[in-house]
């Protein structure tokens, strides 16, 4: 795996994300499979993790979890969490991003396949419910944790967060341990994966860490994994951002220049940096594979 540290959106940040790139012919141990235009399963090794069926009118998707999901990341020890230190700082996110990238590369049950990926702090909240109940209330509202089955309404639940196994209760032993780390300010981030087939994030690692943060009414720190935008899409986004910047600067330098152009010129530069960063860490569609015929009628497949 080749890794590239991505440019930050602002000058006062030292890290904007991690860009892992895998060689051709890398096959994932965790992968979506699709059939008939609206049937989907997430497979991990020989096991079906969940099955789903998209509405014919494309308004949402019904899903069923099987409780067979296994994290591709080995358990994170408290000593390791405390050794990283500096929670929330760019360097802290960078260290955890490299830690997760190494774990995913080594794991035979993770989602990485050939091509370019992004690990970043970007968490899109468009379309998710908004509440005024603090971090715990906001995250409870965006969690798609009906178990074992549920429904993602794409009008109200897009960009939500789906656990791949049952969320542990606040008094679970692991959650208690992580709650202590949360109070100490050393709780590692939750690792999410952007799954475009469901139009939401799924939790790759950190179910208990997320439960701990919610139990403490703290905003969970997250790192999101997604496929990197295609070169064509990145080039188009870059061209649009540069075009907007050049248009703004031409207005500032036009026949009626401002007396003091420093503030609007600075704002235009910051907007350009933000837009270029968003292009670099944007979420590309999740790749899916054709569902084998045997899986279409086997246990755990969607209802026909």
């Amino acid at each position: 795996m080749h890794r590239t540290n991505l440019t930050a959106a602002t000058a006062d940040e030292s890290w904007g994300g991690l860009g892992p790139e895998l060689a051709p012919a890398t096959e994932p141990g965790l992968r979506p499979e699709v059939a008939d235009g609206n049937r989907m399963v997430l497979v991990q090794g020989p096991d079906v993790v969940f099955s789903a069926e998209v509405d014919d009118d494309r308004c949402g998707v019904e899903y069923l979890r099987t409780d067979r999901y296994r994290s591709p990341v080995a358990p994170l020890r408290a000593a390791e969490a405390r050794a990283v230190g500096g929670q929330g700082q760019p360097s802290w996110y960078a260290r955890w991003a490299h830690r997760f990238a190494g774990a995913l590369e080594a794991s035979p049950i993770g989602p990485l396949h050939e091509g370019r990926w992004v690990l970043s702090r970007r968490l899109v909240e468009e379309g998710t419910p908004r509440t005024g109940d603090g971090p715990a209330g906001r995250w409870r509202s965006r969690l798609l944790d009906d178990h074992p089955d549920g429904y993602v309404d794409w009008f109200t639940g897009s960009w939500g967060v789906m656990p791949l196994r049952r969320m542990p209760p606040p008094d679970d032993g692991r959650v208690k341990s992580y709650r202590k780390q949360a109070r100490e300010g050393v709780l590692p981030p939750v690792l999410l994966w952007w799954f475009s087939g469901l139009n939401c994030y799924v939790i790759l690692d950190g179910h208990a860490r997320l439960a701990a943060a919610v139990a403490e009414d703290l905003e969970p720190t997250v790192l999101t994994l997604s496929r990197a935008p295609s070169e064509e899409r990145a080039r188009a986004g870059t061209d649009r951002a540069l075009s907007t910047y050049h248009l703004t600067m031409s207005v500032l330098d036009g026949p009626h220049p401002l007396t003091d152009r420093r503030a609007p010129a600075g704002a235009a530069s910051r907007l350009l940096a933000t837009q270029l960063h968003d292009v670099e860490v944007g979420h590309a569609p999740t790749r899916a594979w054709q569902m084998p015929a045997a899986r279409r009628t086997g246990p755990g497949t969607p209802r026909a």
Side-chain angles (χ1 to χ4, degrees), residues 9 21 55 61 132 177-178 181 186 195 221 223 232 245 267 285:
E21 185 170 357
D55 292 341
V61 56
S177 175
Y178 284 131
Q181 292 181 32
V186 298
F195 196 120
T221 55
L223 282 168
E232 180 180 4
Y245 175 76

Side-chain angles (χ1 to χ4, degrees), residues 224-270:
T224 61
L225 174 73
S226 65
R227 291 181 66 203
S230 67
E231 291 185 4
E232 180 180 4
R233 183 178 174 185
R235 186 163 49 248
T238 299
D239 289 345
R240 285 194 300 271
L242 290 172
S243 177
T244 299
Y245 175 76
H246 290 148
L247 178 60
T248 302
M249 298 307 293
S250 68
V251 171
L252 295 178
D253 295 332
H256 304 289
L258 297 176
T259 303
D260 187 352
R261 63 190 296 280
R262 288 175 297 177
S269 297
R270 289 190 295 273

Side-chain angles (χ1 to χ4, degrees), residues 29 56 88 92 117 146-147 157 204 247:
D56 291 336
W92 181 85
W117 294 78
D146 293 332
H147 195 82
L204 280 181
L247 178 60

